[in-house]
Amino acid sequence: MCKPGIDFTTMRSLTHPLLKRLLCVSPQCVPRELSQSRGPVLSPKWSSPRQSCSARPGLVTATDMVNYWQKVFETNGIPEARESSEYIVSFVLGAKTFQSLNSKSLHTPLTALQQEQIQQLSNKRLERMPVQYVLGEWDFQDLTLKMRPPVFIPRPETEDLISLVVEEESRKCEKNSGLCFPVPAPHPVILEIGCGSGAIALSLLRKLPQSQVIAVDKEKAAVDLTRENAHRLQLQDRIHVLHYDVSYGSAEQLLLWGPVDFIVSNPPYVFHKDMASLDAEILRYEDLDALDGGDDGMRVIKTILALAPSLLKDSGSVFLEVDPRHPNMVENWLQAHPSLLLVLRAIHKDFCGKPRFLHIQNQSR
């Protein structure tokens, strides 16, 4: 199990160790038994948060509410009960984390409206709705993104995928500047396949200010959410979001914007046999097509690699997030398809120490 240490003093970010523990949800990283489907159990012993209130009778503070809902969540078998309770209470109070609330906020009695809002959000969590959907937003790197079911929730390890793309672009720029007759570096064009909420595409636009992104997804809900997040972050002028399924489309449709420097994807890669072992939160609320990679987990991966030579510039790169069992499988598949002229350049590990990211390069010329 991937269990980094917990530091409760920093603001919420997907690189926060707590969230890596909370969200490292691939079955290889966090095997967890599925809870049986059942209705919420509210213990009569603490049917009201006022019964656990440490303030004056009739007054309920943020700390009281966190403690109360933690007990309710624990009784109902809700994972990460304390964290879930803290995030909900913090959100209603306008903070990112419970630890960021000052002493006054922690000890000032909550209004009736605040208590009602906490109750409504906590009831959703009791139904095993992921915290990201309960709050309707979540942080990814330095972005706050809107979230809603069933669009895939970005996981913390995917931040490393973005870092690898940024590092490769920096390396290219440094190589060009070292030439005797350097040429102006063109603005990188990036294709993201399976954009979901837009987390990868929008993060790359922020990290690479000269870049342009083409983001595609086969689900209209994902396309709509990426567009919404792009507008909220005022990045809509540098991104083209398309409702497009690479499994059935052609490279010609994507080449309207010209060949690309990078193809980036966190494709469906869970082995079909592993799908049933995913957490109840995932199975009930997330788009399972965004996770199920078929019998070998490589259904969409193979499609992306087959399209890549037609889409990439000379020496362009593909960056993929995959299952830890995939690197050898991908390398063998590429060797069995030499006409693609793709080579596996590097394998990078995630924060759990598992091989998770692939850098594949176009060698057509």
Side-chain angles (χ1 to χ4, degrees):
M1 180 179 290
C2 175
K3 263 192 181 177
I6 299 177
D7 174 9
F8 289 111
T9 62
T10 59
M11 290 293 287
R12 184 182 69 178
S13 161
L14 281 182
T15 53
H16 190 296
L18 164 62
L19 294 177
K20 289 181 176 181
R21 176 169 169 253
L22 179 64
L23 293 176
C24 185
V25 296
S26 63
Q28 293 75 30
C29 195
V30 183
R32 183 185 290 149
E33 292 295 328
L34 271 176
S35 295
Q36 295 298 316
S37 176
R38 55 187 174 89
V41 177
L42 299 178
S43 171
K45 188 166 58 175
W46 21 273
S47 58
S48 166
R50 290 181 178 176
Q51 294 184 14
S52 60
C53 181
S54 58
R56 296 189 303 275
L59 301 181
V60 180
T61 67
T63 301
D64 295 327
M65 288 297 268
V66 166
N67 292 336
Y68 166 73
W69 282 108
Q70 177 185 353
K71 292 177 182 178
V72 175
F73 291 153
E74 287 173 347
T75 295
N76 286 273
I78 303 300
E80 308 295 346
R82 180 72 184 185
E83 291 84 351
S84 297
S85 180
E86 288 182 347
Y87 277 126
I88 290 170
V89 173
S90 303
F91 179 78
V92 171
L93 294 181
K96 292 287 188 181
T97 67
F98 194 67
Q99 289 68 38
S100 67
L101 292 170
N102 58 33
S103 179
K104 181 179 179 181
S105 297
L106 290 173
H107 297 99
T108 298
L110 300 178
T111 66
L113 177 59
Q114 288 173 326
Q115 293 184 51
E116 177 62 24
Q117 290 173 330
I118 292 169
Q119 170 92 40
Q120 291 175 355
L121 295 177
S122 296
N123 285 342
K124 293 181 179 181
R125 187 69 186 109
L126 282 172
E127 295 299 324
R128 299 299 292 265
M129 179 179 281
V131 172
Q132 296 87 342
Y133 293 153
V134 170
L135 303 184
E137 66 178 38
W138 201 249
D139 288 354
F140 185 85
Q141 294 206 326
D142 58 346
L143 308 179
T144 298
L145 301 170
K146 285 290 184 182
M147 295 284 153
R148 56 176 173 261
V151 180
F152 181 75
I153 298 169
R155 270 58 175 180
E157 60 265 29
T158 303
E159 292 195 3
D160 292 340
L161 182 66
I162 293 160
S163 298
L164 293 172
V165 177
V166 173
E167 289 168 8
E168 178 64 11
E169 176 61 17
S170 298
R171 186 194 65 79
K172 285 185 175 182
C173 291
E174 289 175 5
K175 183 179 179 181
N176 179 63
S177 65
L179 297 175
C180 295
F181 301 99
V183 296
H187 299 169
V189 179
I190 302 166
L191 168 64
E192 186 195 0
I193 297 177
C195 56
S197 64
I200 294 175
L202 299 174
S203 294
L204 287 170
L205 288 175
R206 276 284 179 85
K207 298 286 186 181
L208 300 171
Q210 303 302 317
S211 64
Q212 295 282 330
V213 170
I214 306 144
V216 305
D217 202 293
K218 69 185 185 69
E219 298 296 336
K220 188 176 185 302
V223 170
D224 291 344
L225 187 55
T226 292
R227 286 175 177 160
E228 180 180 337
N229 280 323
H231 277 83
R232 290 180 69 251
L233 297 169
Q234 299 184 333
L235 293 169
Q236 69 274 13
D237 293 338
R238 293 167 51 209
I239 185 171
H240 306 280
V241 190
L242 308 177
H243 187 197
Y244 179 87
D245 187 346
V246 295
S247 298
Y248 300 101
S250 65
E252 285 73 20
Q253 292 173 267
L254 296 175
L255 284 172
L256 294 175
W257 290 268
V260 302
D261 297 271
F262 301 105
I263 297 174
V264 186
S265 184
N266 177 14
Y269 63 71
V270 178
F271 287 59
H272 182 73
K273 65 181 181 182
D274 295 330
M275 289 294 294
S277 66
L278 297 178
D279 288 350
E281 282 84 350
I282 298 172
L283 293 174
R284 292 184 190 179
Y285 291 97
E286 290 196 73
D287 177 14
L288 299 185
D289 282 345
L291 293 157
D292 191 341
D295 290 342
D296 60 358
M298 286 183 49
R299 175 176 50 84
V300 179
I301 292 172
K302 292 173 184 176
T303 299
I304 293 171
L305 295 177
L307 285 173
S310 301
L311 297 170
L312 288 171
K313 295 179 181 178
D314 297 344
S315 299
S317 295
V318 180
F319 286 91
L320 298 175
E321 181 174 332
V322 299
D323 182 277
R325 292 167 285 183
H326 279 145
N328 289 338
M329 295 171 64
V330 169
E331 186 168 26
N332 292 337
W333 190 86
L334 290 175
Q335 290 173 356
H337 296 79
S339 62
L340 295 177
L341 298 176
L342 297 174
V343 61
L344 179 58
R345 281 292 182 207
I347 302 168
H348 300 272
K349 295 180 180 179
D350 63 13
F351 53 75
C352 294
K354 296 180 180 294
R356 181 75 64 182
F357 309 105
L358 305 182
H359 177 192
I360 299 162
Q361 195 164 36
N362 183 21
Q363 299 291 302
S364 60
R365 293 183 185 177

